[in-house]
Amino acid sequence: EMFLNVLSVFSVHPSGDFDTVQSPSTPIKELDDRACRSGGSKSRGRGRKNNPSPPPDSDLERVFVWDLDETIIVFHSLLTGSYAQKYGKDPPMAVTLGLRMEEMIFNLADTHLFFNDLEECDQVHIDDVSSDDNGQDLSTYSFATDGFHAAATSANLCLATGVRGGVDWMRKLAFRYRRVKELYSTYKNNVGGLLGPAKRDAWLQLRAEVEALTDSWLTHALKSLSIISSRSNCVNVLVTTTQLIPALAKVLLYSLGSVFPIENIYSATKIGKESCFERIMQRFGRKVVYVVIGDGVEEEQAAKKHNMPFWRISSHSDLLALHQALEFEYL
């Protein structure tokens, strides 16, 4: 029965589009033979002279493109009270938990990830300004006194006008993104070490309360994410409408750092999800199969436009069905 459920999900969830990739009864192995026998070299990012993100593996077969809010984590719907309403939970408690989490996210972003400096200088991807980095040693560098923030605010250098600062200022911007990347790599499995003892305890407590209120939503999502990241031929990519720096703070605080390498995280704030999907396709090539997992219209339409199967997450049962499909290797 479980097995049949998994099969029926294929036809129901991707609004019929799954057939373009495989019919529900076709084992994924057959799909592998069709789509993944690629001896040729993959497209290697954007050919930047100083792009430290590794090129995709040549044995890569499937790229799972995830949305973050209301797909992997319950966050926005806590703040609005809609989660409490939908699942019969206590609305004031849900909102309070959401607010506490929001405070923790922005606190981490401001304190450790330069969000005060970078909020107006948002990037789509961690390496987008890496070509302006001269690679100098930052171990004794003083971010607090390098004059970056004053220059940024006085000239509104990063606003939508597209005006950029001088070479010196761009280098300081690149230094910040490099340090963020280092911090992420260091603490991706141990955000408590970054927060320090007192905040770590508050974080663990809050995480436990959110998991209890949301009936272990995150735990269910992590099961699927972990299966994918344990496979040598699959990869998890995150595309979120959250700005990049707060998105990284969310990923760290929700313990998602082990399933999303920082170079697989894209912020759609400035360019929209469809453009992010195009960048991802450029990076990983056309020979891999893309599967989009999300709750919103934007990612569904972007998936449809690129003929990518879409797996809708609108309840716990969708997460459980996804986990089953991955466990039985139908996905």
Side-chain angles (χ1 to χ4, degrees):
E1 193 189 330
M2 212 187 240
F3 174 74
L4 288 172
N5 282 348
V6 172
L7 291 185
S8 67
V9 160
F10 277 121
S11 42
V12 175
H13 276 258
S15 39
D17 282 0
F18 225 110
D19 299 346
T20 58
V21 179
Q22 68 173 122
S23 74
S25 56
T26 311
I28 211 90
K29 294 285 172 282
E30 203 177 302
L31 174 68
D32 289 349
D33 295 343
R34 279 206 308 271
C36 310
R37 220 183 266 142
S38 58
S41 68
K42 298 280 174 198
S43 113
R44 298 190 171 237
R46 283 150 64 242
R48 273 243 163 114
K49 62 176 187 292
N50 184 21
N51 188 347
S53 287
D57 305 328
S58 53
D59 60 351
L60 191 66
E61 294 174 6
R62 217 158 296 129
V63 175
F64 291 85
V65 183
W66 292 79
D67 172 52
L68 181 59
D69 280 13
E70 313 315 312
T71 297
I72 300 172
I73 64 173
V74 175
F75 175 65
H76 186 70
S77 62
L78 289 183
L79 290 169
T80 61
S82 62
Y83 186 90
Q85 212 174 358
K86 183 174 177 180
Y87 292 100
K89 305 290 181 182
D90 177 28
M93 184 186 165
V95 173
T96 303
L97 288 179
L99 289 169
R100 282 167 59 196
M101 193 46 118
E102 184 176 53
E103 187 185 0
M104 206 166 264
I105 290 163
F106 284 104
N107 196 293
L108 176 63
D110 287 335
T111 310
H112 299 287
L113 307 178
F114 304 105
F115 192 49
N116 283 318
D117 287 354
L118 301 176
E119 183 170 7
E120 304 297 340
C121 314
D122 192 40
Q123 304 297 320
V124 176
H125 186 271
I126 195 72
D127 291 329
D128 281 357
V129 290
S130 63
S131 58
D132 295 299
D133 193 331
N134 64 359
Q136 88 181 54
D137 178 22
L138 299 178
S139 53
T140 58
Y141 185 85
S142 170
F143 288 97
T145 59
D146 70 353
F148 174 87
H149 192 63
T153 37
S154 64
N156 276 339
L157 285 164
C158 297
L159 294 179
T161 54
V163 178
R164 290 153 75 93
V167 174
D168 182 51
W169 185 85
M170 287 302 293
R171 187 161 58 238
K172 290 170 183 173
L173 179 68
F175 287 169
R176 280 158 174 74
Y177 278 100
R178 166 148 57 107
R179 174 53 61 84
V180 166
K181 195 173 183 176
E182 285 166 4
L183 285 167
Y184 185 96
S185 309
T186 306
Y187 294 103
K188 64 182 181 182
N189 296 315
N190 172 32
V191 72
L194 188 58
L195 296 171
K199 280 192 174 147
R200 177 180 179 273
D201 290 347
W203 164 70
L204 287 170
Q205 177 63 35
L206 179 55
R207 273 278 305 273
E209 288 179 48
V210 170
E211 273 298 86
L213 183 93
T214 60
D215 298 311
S216 308
W217 185 286
L218 176 67
T219 303
H220 290 310
L222 265 169
K223 284 180 180 170
S224 292
L225 285 158
S226 302
I227 290 177
I228 293 163
S229 67
S230 72
R231 294 176 177 174
S232 61
N233 61 347
C234 294
V235 70
N236 289 307
V237 176
L238 187 69
V239 178
T240 173
T241 47
T242 306
Q243 281 187 277
L244 186 60
I245 297 297
L248 296 176
K250 280 183 185 177
V251 168
L252 289 170
L253 288 168
Y254 286 93
S255 302
L256 298 165
S258 58
V259 291
F260 289 113
I262 195 168
E263 58 271 9
N264 290 3
I265 298 173
Y266 294 80
S267 166
T269 311
K270 288 203 303 194
I271 65 170
K273 292 205 167 178
E274 198 188 299
S275 299
C276 284
F277 284 17
E278 279 162 16
R279 276 189 62 166
I280 291 162
M281 290 170 80
Q282 264 177 351
R283 178 174 160 201
F284 293 104
R286 300 208 166 263
K287 291 182 175 162
V288 300
V289 175
Y290 294 88
V291 178
V292 180
I293 301 159
D295 70 294
V297 176
E298 197 190 349
E299 55 262 26
E300 184 170 13
Q301 288 175 343
K304 205 167 199 154
K305 175 155 192 211
H306 295 293
N307 286 323
M308 299 173 178
F310 179 73
W311 189 291
R312 183 180 292 104
I313 301 292
S314 49
S315 65
H316 295 81
S317 56
D318 298 330
L319 286 171
L320 293 169
L322 176 62
H323 178 231
Q324 283 184 346
L326 288 162
E327 218 168 30
F328 291 126
E329 295 189 0
Y330 277 89
L331 197 59

